[in-house]
Amino acid sequence: MELSLAEIAEIVEGKIVGDSKKIINMAAPFEDAKDNHITFAGTARFLNQIKESNAGAVIVPYEFNEPSKNLIQVEQPFIAFIKVLDTFHPPSGLSCGISSSAHIGEGVKYGKDVSIAPNVVIGDNVVIGDRVSIYPCSYIADSVAIGDDVKIYSNVSVLERCKIGNRVIIQAGSVIGSDGFGYSSDGKIHHKIPHMGIVQIDDDVEIGAGNTIDRATFGKTWICRGVKTDNLVHIAHNVTVGEDTLLIAQAVIGGSSSIGKHSIIAGQAAIGDHVTVGNNVIVAPKSGVVKTVPDGEVVSGAPAIQHKLWLRAQNIFPKLPEIRSRLFDIEKRLNHLEINKDK
């Protein structure tokens, strides 16, 4: 594919500085870009090196100018570069149609331009929207509802009665709607608690590879609009994850907990059962949250505390051996004074 700088500027809604007729045939990283490539420079580090770049064109912030280079000025260079990447490298998809090796149950309803790959199994009374792609070896159980423009990659299981919204992406190997981990003990054995609810995934959600999202005991486990999860995330029964929240790799959300909007749960962080995490919260990596976190807080540690306090505590930790030694020394001196006083 070849595009002029003017055509690219129209795609990213940017302003050209330089040769609008310059032909670009590839997007490339800043360090590797050649004369027929376009790249981006969104931070001071790369903007300071822009004269040394061999790129044919560079996407930069609006306020930046370098007359010796072909530039496209935009508000958000990285977002504009993503649009350019999508243009030069459109995602590949399945060919439309239903494979002869797919197993289709009774009462299944399809939308337009559906793609169902080999060895997919679809249960009874499933509803599938327009332009849905289901990749090889995935399983869609009875009475599942899937919206429009959904991609379900290989070896995904979407279990009974779960609901998937529009423009949802579920990466390979994820399980949506497995039973929650619920048991009640009589003192001798653990009795399994039935899980009769569902998982509901709203519009524009992306579920990473190898996620496990448990169905509710009653009602629903709810992944709200715009949520993005990394690989290997576990979400337990009856959890609600608020709009546009990010869950990073190996994060664990305990049963019946609620995560607010626009929050970030970082890698290997764990949220305990029945915990409320507010809006715009950041939970640092490897933290353990066991109580409510108010809106806007940044927390770290296990158990999690305010990040600033955690930093102070971490600063003290390596000094503890020295502090211990000094305390012993003070204790000896005090004992010596007490002995001399008695004499």
Side-chain angles (χ1 to χ4, degrees):
M1 177 184 292
E2 291 187 344
L3 295 173
S4 70
L5 210 56
E7 291 173 313
I8 295 173
E10 185 175 353
I11 291 168
V12 301
E13 300 178 352
K15 177 183 175 182
I16 296 173
V17 175
D19 182 8
S20 63
K21 297 180 180 179
K22 174 70 177 177
I23 297 299
I24 301 296
N25 62 15
M26 185 181 295
F30 187 89
E31 297 87 348
D32 301 331
K34 302 295 188 293
D35 183 62
N36 56 343
H37 299 167
I38 188 168
T39 189
F40 80 103
T43 64
R45 174 194 166 196
F46 292 112
L47 292 171
N48 290 336
Q49 300 176 35
I50 205 165
K51 287 184 179 180
E52 287 74 44
S53 172
N54 295 317
V58 185
I59 299 172
V60 298
Y62 264 128
E63 64 275 10
F64 182 84
N65 194 9
E66 173 48 60
S68 66
K69 295 293 182 181
N70 295 318
L71 308 177
I72 297 180
Q73 297 171 327
V74 297
E75 286 188 11
Q76 297 179 301
F78 189 43
I79 301 300
F81 190 64
I82 291 172
K83 293 179 181 179
V84 173
L85 285 172
D86 285 341
T87 301
F88 281 104
H89 304 281
S92 59
L94 297 172
S95 57
C96 287
I98 300 171
S99 170
S100 59
S101 68
H103 173 80
I104 310 298
E106 297 180 359
V108 176
K109 297 180 180 178
Y110 306 102
K112 297 179 294 184
D113 302 323
V114 168
S115 302
I116 300 177
N119 300 318
V120 169
V121 175
I122 295 179
D124 297 338
N125 303 311
V126 172
V127 177
I128 299 174
D130 298 338
R131 299 172 299 280
V132 171
S133 296
I134 304 176
Y135 283 68
C137 302
S138 286
Y139 171 54
I140 311 299
D142 295 349
S143 303
V144 166
I146 298 173
D148 298 334
D149 301 294
V150 171
K151 286 188 177 181
I152 298 175
Y153 285 94
S154 298
N155 299 303
V156 168
S157 295
V158 182
L159 301 178
E160 289 80 3
R161 297 176 286 108
C162 291
K163 297 179 180 179
I164 311 296
N166 301 313
R167 299 174 301 280
V168 171
I169 298 172
I170 305 177
Q171 298 289 351
S174 287
V175 179
I176 312 300
S178 50
D179 282 353
F181 189 74
Y183 296 88
S184 181
S185 176
D186 62 7
K188 295 180 180 179
I189 62 173
H190 301 295
H191 297 271
K192 183 176 176 64
I193 298 172
H195 286 72
M196 310 305 295
I198 64 166
V199 174
Q200 177 177 317
I201 297 177
D202 287 352
D203 297 347
D204 301 301
V205 169
E206 180 161 0
I207 303 298
N211 279 210
T212 52
I213 304 178
D214 293 346
R215 67 176 59 246
T217 311
F218 298 102
K220 63 187 177 185
T221 300
W222 188 8
I223 314 301
C224 296
R225 185 203 57 77
V227 169
K228 315 295 183 187
T229 75
D230 198 353
N231 300 336
L232 302 174
V233 168
H234 173 60
I235 299 172
H237 61 274
N238 291 96
V239 166
T240 297
V241 181
E243 295 178 0
D244 296 301
T245 280
L246 303 178
L247 305 181
I248 316 303
Q250 298 183 26
V252 176
I253 315 299
S256 301
S257 289
S258 176
I259 313 297
K261 301 177 182 179
H262 301 281
S263 291
I264 299 173
I265 312 300
Q268 296 187 339
I271 311 299
D273 295 346
H274 302 278
V275 169
T276 298
V277 175
N279 302 321
N280 302 296
V281 167
I282 297 175
V283 177
K286 296 188 176 182
S287 297
V289 179
V290 296
K291 62 180 181 180
T292 294
V293 180
D295 292 353
E297 289 282 343
V298 180
V299 297
S300 303
I305 57 177
Q306 287 186 340
H307 184 61
K308 290 182 179 179
L309 180 58
W310 181 83
L311 288 175
R312 289 168 59 191
Q314 290 302 300
N315 187 49
I316 292 171
F317 185 77
K319 300 175 183 177
L320 287 177
E322 177 189 350
I323 293 171
R324 179 175 180 270
S325 178
R326 291 172 63 184
L327 285 173
F328 281 159
D329 183 58
I330 291 170
E331 185 178 32
K332 287 179 182 179
R333 292 166 64 184
L334 287 172
N335 288 337
H336 182 70
L337 289 174
E338 288 293 329
I339 293 169
N340 288 337
K341 179 181 176 183
D342 291 339
K343 289 180 178 178

